[in-house]
Amino acid sequence: MRKCEVAVLGLGLMGGAALGALLDAGVDALGFDPIGPGSDRGSSHGSCRIFRRFNFENPNYTSLSDEAHAGWIRLQSESGQTILTEAPVLEAGRPGSAMVASSRAAAIAKGRPDPMLTAAQANREFPAFSLPDDWDVVVQDGGAILHTGVVMTLMRARARDRVIPERASFTPHHDGVSIRTDTEEFFAERAILALGPWLGRALPQLAALLKVTRQAVGWFAPSSPESVSLGRLPIFILDRGPDDTVYGFPDFEQRGVKAAPHNHGPVVGPDDWGPQASDGELRPIGEALAALVPGAAGPIIDRDVCLYTNTAPADRRPDAGEEFIIDRWPESRLIVCSACSGHGAKFAPAIGQRLARLATDPSYQAEPFFQLSRYSRFA
Ligand SMILES: Cc1cc2nc3c(=O)[nH]c(=O)nc-3n(C[C@H](O)[C@H](O)[C@H](O)COP(=O)(O)OP(=O)(O)OC[C@H]3O[C@@H](n4cnc5c(N)ncnc54)[C@H](O)[C@@H]3O)c2cc1C
C-alpha cells in the first residue's frame, strides 16, 4: 500500500491548485482524477473563464481576487505561458441594478476611480453594444480572460508522476484516510475532496446543501467581426432582470463570441453532461445579444455544456447563498472544497493555498464565510 501525507481527490482547478501548492511546499502529496486536461467533463473544462478583480457577489471576494491574481501572474512568469489576457469588464443592467451597484462599490472601496459610464458613452466606446439609454453601466479595469485550458495543462504537467489518473474512493479512519482506485490502495494522513459537482455524491450529508445545474454555452458568429475582437469588445455581464444575466467574451480565439446565461439552468446530477446545448437553450442568449450586443449576434457556431454547483444559503448568519465551502470535514481528516459555482475559477490559486494549509497547518482556518459552521447542522 502506497502512503502519502496528503491525497487530493479531484484535479479540476481547485484540486489542481491545491496539489500544486502542496508540492511547492515539499509535502508528499498525490492527486487522483480519472479525467485530464482537454476533457469535455468537469466544471473546469474549456478554454477560458472571466477574471474579475471587483466582485459584485460579495466584497469578501476582492482580497481573494487580489491574492489569486498574484498566483496567476506567478504561474504565468514561471511557465512563460499566457494565463491572463487583460480585458476590461463591462457590467450593465436595468436602472438600479444591484449587480452594477455592487461592482461599482467594490472598485471605489479599493480606491479605483469611479467606473460608472453612461450607456451612451459605453455604446460609443464599444460599438458592438446597443445598451438602452437608461441602463446603469460600469467598466472595471483589472479584468482578464483567464486561459483555463492552459492552466489545467500546466497544473497537470507540473505535478508529473504525483498524479494517479484514476477515479478514487475513500474511507476515513481516526488516523488517516484509505484511498482505493481500481488498481491500487493508498493511505493518506489527510485527504482533500475537491470533487466539483461530484462532492455531494461523495459526502451525502452535504448533498442537500449543494445544487448542481446544467449550464448551456454558445459561440456566436458575430455580425460585425471588427467590433468584437479583443481590444474592441470588453468582457461583458448584462443584468436583464431577476434570473436573467448573460455574459460573454470578445472573440479572442477566432471561434466567435462565447456567451452564456449566468442564471441557473435545470438541476441535474454530476454525471449529466449530455446532451449537447440545444438551439432552444441558447435562443435566449442569441436574443439578448441581438438586443444588447448586436455586433456579437449571429448564428450559433459552437456549443458546450458545463455544470455549476452552488451552495444553499447559510442559516446561522446572513448569507445570500452560493458562498464557497473551504473547510475541514467534522471529526475526520478530510478537507472539503466546493468552489464550483459560476465564479470560482478565477480564485483557484488562492483557494488551493487555503486547502493546502487546511491539510498541513492544524492552527489554520479559512475565513468564517467559507466555513461549514454557517449551517446549523455543522455548528
Ligand atoms: C459554464 C461555466 C462558466 C463559468 N464561468 C466562470 C467564470 O467566468 N469565471 C470564474 O471565475 N468561474 C467560472 N465558472 C466556475 C468555475 O469554472 C468553477 O468554479 C471551477 O471550474 C470549479 O472547479 P472544481 O475543481 O471545483 O471542479 P471540477 O473542475 O469539476 O473538478 C472536479 C474533479 O473531480 C474529479 N472527480 C470526480 N469524482 C472523482 C473521484 N471519485 N476520484 C477522483 N476524481 C474525481 C472530476 O473528474 C473533476 O475533474 C464557470 C463554470 C461553468 C460551469
Side-chain angles (χ1 to χ4, degrees), residues 33-359:
D33 200 317
I35 65 171
S39 168
D40 60 358
R41 297 285 185 275
S43 295
S44 304
H45 84 266
S47 65
C48 62
R49 297 288 187 274
I50 300 171
F51 179 88
R52 282 176 286 133
R53 204 71 182 254
F54 307 109
N55 298 272
F56 58 80
E57 289 85 351
N58 190 323
N60 295 331
Y61 289 109
T62 308
S63 56
L64 207 64
S65 274
D66 289 345
E67 201 182 316
H69 188 262
W72 293 129
I73 295 299
R74 203 175 314 119
L75 184 59
Q76 188 158 270
S77 57
E78 283 169 11
S79 67
Q81 306 255 358
T82 303
I83 306 291
L84 294 176
T85 298
E86 283 182 25
V89 180
L90 178 145
E91 292 161 305
R94 292 173 188 281
S97 161
M99 179 189 85
V100 175
S102 304
S103 185
R104 181 184 184 202
I108 291 171
K110 200 69 183 161
R112 291 293 221 274
D114 189 341
M116 198 88 177
L117 255 63
T118 65
Q121 284 171 320
N123 291 338
R124 257 198 314 279
E125 192 167 334
F126 305 112
F129 286 104
S130 177
L131 300 170
D133 282 347
D134 62 347
W135 270 36
D136 294 343
V137 185
V138 291
V139 178
Q140 54 162 292
D141 61 359
I145 298 165
L146 170 61
H147 298 281
T148 43
V150 174
V151 170
M152 290 287 284
T153 302
L154 276 175
M155 283 176 166
R156 204 56 75 93
R158 282 160 64 99
R160 293 191 295 267
D161 59 349
R162 307 309 293 178
V163 173
I164 313 294
E166 292 185 68
R167 179 173 303 283
S169 59
F170 62 93
T171 309
H173 305 283
H174 72 279
D175 57 344
V177 185
S178 351
I179 315 275
R180 186 186 284 271
T181 69
D182 281 346
T183 58
E184 221 175 330
E185 266 192 67
F186 302 80
F187 190 83
E189 289 169 28
R190 289 191 162 67
I192 295 172
L193 306 181
L195 297 168
W198 291 272
L199 184 62
R201 183 173 288 172
L203 293 173
Q205 306 92 309
L206 208 50
L209 298 176
L210 301 177
K211 184 174 87 168
V212 179
T213 56
R214 170 184 162 92
Q215 304 296 136
V217 180
W219 281 258
F220 295 81
S223 66
S224 164
E226 67 284 358
S227 72
V228 301
S229 59
L230 187 64
R232 294 300 291 137
L233 183 71
I235 292 166
F236 59 90
I237 308 178
L238 307 173
D239 171 14
R240 307 205 313 152
D243 276 341
D244 192 2
T245 302
V246 172
Y247 66 87
F249 292 76
D251 182 7
F252 69 97
E253 49 187 356
Q254 285 70 56
R255 188 183 175 187
V257 169
K258 177 182 177 183
H262 185 51
N263 39 299
H264 300 173
V267 173
V268 294
D271 292 321
D272 295 338
W273 293 86
Q276 189 50 281
S278 67
D279 287 353
E281 286 174 298
L282 293 173
R283 189 170 303 118
I285 305 305
E287 288 168 0
L289 294 180
L292 299 167
V293 205
I300 300 163
I301 47 179
D302 208 348
R303 44 189 96 213
D304 193 16
V305 167
C306 194
L307 304 184
Y308 282 0
T309 306
N310 277 295
T311 59
D315 58 355
R316 292 192 66 238
R317 62 174 193 81
D319 164 349
E322 309 191 0
E323 293 275 21
F324 305 150
I325 295 171
I326 304 170
D327 204 354
R328 296 188 179 86
W329 188 247
E331 291 165 30
S332 76
R333 288 170 165 247
L334 299 173
I335 290 102
V336 286
C337 172
S338 180
C340 193
S341 68
H343 70 123
K346 68 176 77 60
F347 304 117
I351 292 173
Q353 288 291 344
R354 280 163 176 70
L355 295 171
R357 284 195 70 188
L358 283 167

